Amino acid sequence: SVGRLADAERHLRAAIGTADGAGLAESAAKARGVLGYVLTLTGRTGEGLREMDRARPLLRGPSAARLLMQRAVVLTETGRFEDAAAGFSDALDTLRRAGGDALIEATLRNNRSILLARLGDWRGAEEDLRRAEEVFTATGHSGRTAMVYQNRGLAATVRGDVPAALAAYDEAARRYRAAGTDQGLLPVERAEVLLSVRLVAEARQAATAAVAAYARRRNAVDLVQARLLLAKVALLEGDPRAALREARRAGRSASRQGRPGWAALAGFLVLRARWDLGLRDAATLRSGTRTVAALTTAGWVVAALDARLIVARLAMELGRSAIARRELTAATRSGRTGPAEVRARAWHALALLRLQDGDRHGADSALRAGVRVLDRFRAGLGATELRAHASGHADELTALGLRLAVESGRAESVLRWAERRHACALRLPPARPPDDVALAADL
């Protein structure tokens, strides 16, 4: 937890070597399983999964089930939901064949609930959490029920039920305090819920408290994510200087820990903060170009597109038309298919590309297409957080459309874009599951 992941990796590899040399195959395999998880923390997910796969044939019974569960957790975190579901099932079957282990099964169900929530299986998630809570309580591990309530909060967040999420997080915090155990990422997750409904001041207070708490406990790993969250909140609150400071500190820490994915995200927030500060210089352009490459490599698709748009606009202001065209063309091509947020950014890039060519009518058409994509996207979302993010990008599209309309001098166009901008700012009502249990299940 102190962030010395390189030291942890070195010690684990030494332990594996010692165990192998002594012929302790099972001990070596257990160490490989832990090494695999450490490698995923440093962003080397593929390598980590390979280490887990090397360990898997050498473990039996509960040890094998625990490894399969850890592997499924990693797959869940990387979005490979089908593989994760199969992994959890394999772990449960392995445990049952070994005669069972109530504590491992409860931990497995608690972890699986996150996957089921993301798949929209609310009943399955709650059943797993209920059974996990029963076992933890019955076996004298009531402190672990805090994790159950934390995952209830995550499930409620995905479902779009913010009040339920906050209530679950509050109960989780109470139970962590009662047990005297570390709250992990709970403060960050709670702050993200507040941010999702644009309670920016409250989110900043929570994120600031999380940064202070992790720093006080020297939890360098979670401190990176807390600083990144604080940077995002500061940007939304119109404080780019604070965002720049926190993002830079997070980026340095992530780099020292060997976590290139998080370092890339920190680089994006630095770029966004410099842009909001009005820094339009060659140094920002160069660092922005490097940030685009890092985000693309790390797989942050939406952040990479946003970074391309910033770099392109910066290049246009600096008269570097070739760079602007290159970034806009890449953004347009990469967003032809895929999620709505990606396609909306591609329309934004196309609008800027057409504007660079002097085609103002074509730019206006592209902006309107981007807004339509986001309108359909927001209308179909249950999670308030996702609707808020979609609204944020719609605001950028409508702002550019309004500027073009004002420059055109056409009153009708100005009014139309002003109304679109106003409509994007309105919060849509929460799309929560209905009270009718049967209807909720059918939906």
Side-chain angles (χ1 to χ4, degrees):
S1 67
V2 298
R4 294 168 56 186
L5 299 179
D7 289 345
E9 180 182 346
R10 185 172 65 253
H11 288 306
L12 284 166
R13 291 191 186 280
I16 292 168
T18 300
D20 281 337
L24 302 173
E26 185 176 357
S27 296
K30 289 180 179 178
R32 283 192 189 282
V34 179
L35 174 62
Y37 184 70
V38 170
L39 291 172
T40 63
L41 288 178
T42 66
R44 291 174 285 172
T45 304
E47 188 179 347
L49 290 173
R50 285 193 293 274
E51 289 293 344
M52 290 181 175
D53 288 341
R54 288 181 66 184
R56 184 175 177 178
L58 302 174
L59 296 175
R60 296 289 183 273
S63 295
R66 187 185 296 277
L67 177 69
L68 289 168
M69 175 187 68
Q70 290 173 333
R71 190 178 188 278
V73 169
V74 172
L75 292 171
T76 300
E77 292 177 352
T78 55
R80 295 170 57 181
F81 295 154
E82 290 185 9
D83 292 337
F88 279 123
S89 294
D90 288 345
L92 203 54
D93 290 342
T94 300
L95 197 60
R96 285 169 178 162
R97 286 196 298 271
D101 183 305
L103 199 56
I104 293 179
E105 181 176 346
T107 303
L108 188 155
R109 290 186 179 281
N110 185 47
N111 287 326
R112 189 174 67 172
S113 68
I114 301 172
L115 170 67
L116 296 179
R118 295 196 179 281
L119 292 173
D121 183 0
W122 317 118
R123 282 184 175 179
E126 181 50 42
E127 176 63 13
D128 268 354
L129 290 169
R130 183 190 64 78
R131 295 179 66 174
E133 184 177 9
E134 285 180 352
V135 171
F136 286 146
T137 302
T139 56
H141 293 84
S142 57
R144 295 195 181 190
T145 59
M147 297 185 297
V148 172
Y149 278 88
Q150 184 173 352
N151 285 347
R152 282 198 174 108
L154 280 172
T157 300
V158 175
R159 194 169 67 242
D161 193 343
V162 171
L166 291 174
Y169 285 146
D170 287 344
E171 179 62 21
R174 188 189 69 77
R175 292 178 181 239
Y176 277 124
R177 286 193 299 270
T181 53
D182 188 88
Q183 295 186 13
L185 278 173
L186 177 64
V188 172
E189 291 167 359
R190 190 178 187 284
E192 286 176 339
V193 172
L194 294 170
L195 185 61
S196 75
V197 288
R198 285 301 189 264
L199 294 174
V200 181
E202 292 86 345
R204 183 161 187 171
Q205 183 180 8
T208 301
V211 167
Y214 293 137
R216 185 172 58 252
R217 295 197 297 266
R218 297 187 178 182
N219 182 347
V221 174
D222 293 338
L223 181 57
V224 169
Q225 288 172 254
R227 288 198 187 283
L228 289 175
L229 176 62
L230 182 53
K232 287 190 285 187
V233 175
L235 283 172
L236 282 174
E237 205 171 31
D239 188 359
R241 292 191 184 281
L244 184 61
R245 181 179 65 250
E246 296 299 331
R248 280 175 168 167
R249 296 181 73 174
R252 287 194 295 268
S253 295
S255 296
R256 283 196 300 268
Q257 295 169 19
R259 303 166 74 191
W262 293 108
L265 189 57
F268 166 68
L269 293 172
V270 167
L271 175 64
R272 179 88 238 184
R274 288 177 66 86
W275 172 262
D276 288 356
L277 282 168
L279 298 176
R280 310 291 195 263
D281 50 46
T284 303
L285 183 62
R286 287 193 298 271
S287 65
T289 302
R290 291 193 297 269
T291 296
V292 168
L295 290 166
T296 302
T297 301
W300 296 106
V301 177
V302 174
L305 285 171
D306 281 341
R308 285 190 190 278
L309 289 169
I310 293 173
V311 169
R313 284 184 284 174
L314 177 57
M316 290 169 70
E317 291 194 21
L318 294 176
R320 307 288 294 275
S321 58
I323 294 176
R325 183 170 294 279
R326 181 192 69 203
E327 297 297 339
L328 292 173
T329 301
T332 301
R333 288 174 178 169
S334 63
R336 287 177 178 172
T337 59
E341 284 196 292
V342 172
R343 285 183 284 120
R345 281 158 175 78
W347 282 114
H348 192 173
L350 182 59
L352 292 173
L353 196 59
R354 288 174 174 174
L355 193 59
Q356 192 178 29
D357 292 334
D359 182 5
R360 301 175 73 86
H361 178 73
D364 183 85
S365 297
L367 290 169
R368 283 188 278 113
V371 171
R372 284 197 299 272
V373 167
L374 287 176
D375 280 345
R376 289 193 294 270
F377 178 54
R378 290 186 305 143
L381 288 174
T384 310
E385 176 183 9
L386 298 178
R387 290 201 306 273
H389 284 307
S391 297
H393 191 66
D395 185 66
E396 290 189 10
L397 292 170
T398 55
L400 179 55
L402 183 59
R403 179 171 71 81
L404 293 179
V406 170
E407 291 174 357
S408 73
R410 297 196 302 272
E412 182 182 351
S413 181
V414 171
L415 180 61
R416 183 164 56 249
W417 275 110
E419 287 301 307
R420 284 198 184 102
R421 188 169 173 79
H422 177 65
C424 286
L426 296 177
R427 183 177 299 155
L428 293 175
R432 296 176 186 158
D435 294 331
D436 187 312
V437 176
L439 177 57
D442 289 341
L443 289 173

